[in-house]
Amino acid sequence: MLTEDILAREFTRIVREYYPQVGELLKYCHVKVIRGQWGRKAKNHLQYIGIYCSGKMIDDIQAHQHIFREIAENMGLTQVVFLNATRLLRDPMSKLKRSDPRLWLELHLLTA
C-alpha cells in the first residue's frame, strides 16, 4: 500500500513538473495506483494509474491522455484509467463506501 501511494505522488509530481498546464488539472482529481490481477493463478499483478475526477472535468483530463499514458509507461505502470467520480458515487451497486471509505470521502470532496 505504501509503495502505491509513493508511485501516485511521483506520477503527479512528474506531470506537474514537465507539463504544468496539465498538472493544474490534476489539482481537481484524485490519483491512485490500482493493482489488478491477470490470469487464473493471479500471479501476474498489474499496476495502473486511476485518475478519479468529476463529471465536469473528465473530458478535459481525457484530452491529455497521451501525456498521462507516456508518463505511466515510463514509470513501468501498465495503463492509465480515467474514472468519473460523480458516476461512481451515484451508483447504487457500488461497494466503494465499505471497501475504501477514505477514497469515498475524497471523491465526495472532488464532486462537491
Side-chain angles (χ1 to χ4, degrees), residues 15-59:
V15 171
R16 287 184 180 155
E17 186 174 320
Y18 290 102
Y19 302 97
Q21 293 175 339
V22 179
E24 286 295 315
L25 293 175
L26 286 182
K27 282 184 180 180
Y28 307 104
C29 300
H30 179 77
V31 178
K32 182 177 179 177
V33 174
I34 302 170
R35 177 176 274 206
Q37 297 176 350
W38 180 70
R40 287 186 182 172
K41 297 181 181 181
K43 291 184 179 180
N44 301 326
H45 293 284
L46 305 173
Q47 288 184 324
Y48 52 95
I49 293 285
I51 300 178
Y52 297 87
C53 50
S54 69
K56 299 172 188 172
M57 293 286 300
I58 196 89
D59 292 332

Side-chain angles (χ1 to χ4, degrees), residues 79-94:
Q79 189 61 267
V80 178
V81 178
F82 305 97
L83 301 157
N84 187 339
T86 308
R87 187 180 230 182
L88 186 63
L89 291 173
R90 291 182 181 166
D91 183 6
M93 299 301 290
S94 175

